[in-house]
Amino acid sequence: MTERIRVVHVVESLETGGMERMVSALARSVDRDRFACSVLCLKRTGPVARELVQASIPVHLYTPGPGASRYLAFRGLSSLLRTLNAHVVHTHNSPALFFGTTAAWLARVPGRVHTEHGRVFPDATKYMLAEYVLSRLLFRYVCVSERTRDDVARFERISPRKLEVVPNGVEAPAPVSERVLHALRQSFNIPENTRVVGALGRLVAEKGLDRLLKAWPAVIARCPAARLLIVGDGPLRAQLVEQAQRLDIAETVHFAGVRTDVNALHKLFDIFVMSSISEGLPLALLEAMAAGRPVVATRVGGMPDALEQGKAGVLVAPADPAGLADAII
């Protein structure tokens, strides 16, 4: 092609999360002499949208209507894709696949690619059946880890000819000054001689943060000066805060909420913990490794591969608070 290839990434939203940050990195990092990227949100935009707009990457919002009208949204969405004159539609995770791929097929977009960033399998039968059917409209179905590919092949019966593994990657971390780290400690009221254990991700069930909180009393018993810093937000925040209070560890656990200074936070952590019970290949883990942090992670998804089966970090069984505590200690 003599013109630039127009790629439209379709996502549910651009909230602060690993998948969203990966889409941002993809859109910002491609050769702009060859590709023109834009991002289409189906639910809402979010903080990552501002990052893209600042990089001169268009962000569009198309929200399917409620009820039955939601299922007619394919027509309007396909019309928008024709207006954008997309050469490639790249959907990310299931909601975007359901709407984006169907609309791209209706709009006769020549390139249709999907990436599964990781989810809990087996999923509801109706969703797995829908993905199997929609996969027939795709050129490639990309998985971020070997485990995700194996799950997709096993549970959704997607053709091996269409499956491709493209592991996640992260941008090189920028240096962080001691002044910034000191200010961060002060903002969380953490003394200089205190070990900081960090966890970063959405506050949802699959991240296993309730298991991390169950492990924390044993850590404090051995290392009384340690502090746990949980970065992120989500529907389980109130429940996790209440659990910390019930376990009498609230004074040693900090819930930091959503942050934009992830790179500096990784440098603040003495140990990074990923307690997930289900994963693809989380960016937070890769960012911690890029920042040179010691890692404790559960043996799920692509994390064992990233950590070279335990050579580059400590791996524990999922849903094992005692093992998690021993590894952190």
Side-chain angles (χ1 to χ4, degrees), residues 69-87:
S69 64
R70 182 177 179 85
Y71 299 97
L72 300 176
F74 304 118
R75 294 181 182 177
L77 190 54
S78 65
S79 177
L80 176 57
L81 292 175
R82 281 192 290 269
T83 299
L84 295 174
N85 199 14
H87 295 124

Side-chain angles (χ1 to χ4, degrees), residues 213 216 226-230 240 244 249-255:
L213 291 178
W216 194 244
R227 294 293 182 268
L228 175 60
L229 185 57
I230 297 176
L240 293 169
I249 56 174
E251 291 186 359
T252 65
V253 179
H254 303 268
F255 288 89

Side-chain angles (χ1 to χ4, degrees), residues 199 205-213 273-279 296-298 300 303 316-319 324:
E206 53 263 36
K207 297 299 180 181
L209 291 167
D210 59 325
R211 275 79 167 184
L212 177 55
L213 291 178
V273 178
M274 202 93 199
S275 55
S276 304
I277 58 175
S278 175
E279 277 294 353
V296 174
T298 46
V300 298
M303 294 198 291
V316 299
L324 196 59

Side-chain angles (χ1 to χ4, degrees), residues 188-190 194-195 197 199 208-230 237-255 321 324-325 328:
F188 294 115
N189 197 26
I190 298 174
T194 300
R195 294 284 189 182
V197 176
L209 291 167
D210 59 325
R211 275 79 167 184
L212 177 55
L213 291 178
K214 287 179 183 177
W216 194 244
V219 177
I220 292 299
R222 289 283 303 276
C223 312
R227 294 293 182 268
L228 175 60
L229 185 57
I230 297 176
R237 177 170 181 143
Q239 181 178 321
L240 293 169
V241 169
E242 190 276 332
Q243 182 184 0
Q245 293 169 344
R246 189 172 65 251
L247 292 170
D248 198 26
I249 56 174
E251 291 186 359
T252 65
V253 179
H254 303 268
F255 288 89
L324 196 59
I328 292 170

Side-chain angles (χ1 to χ4, degrees), residues 26-71:
L26 281 171
R28 290 184 290 104
S29 302
V30 295
D31 183 350
R32 296 203 187 185
D33 290 333
R34 296 180 58 206
F35 299 96
C37 290
S38 61
V39 180
L40 174 59
C41 301
L42 298 176
K43 195 170 184 180
R44 56 185 172 272
T45 54
V48 178
R50 291 191 290 273
E51 178 182 276
L52 287 163
V53 171
Q54 288 172 358
S56 300
I57 295 168
V59 175
H60 308 276
L61 178 62
Y62 184 91
T63 52
S69 64
R70 182 177 179 85
Y71 299 97

Side-chain angles (χ1 to χ4, degrees), residues 132-146:
Y132 167 75
V133 172
L134 288 171
S135 72
R136 302 171 76 87
L137 306 180
L138 295 170
F139 175 69
R140 284 287 186 275
Y141 189 117
V142 179
C143 303
V144 299
S145 70
E146 299 282 348

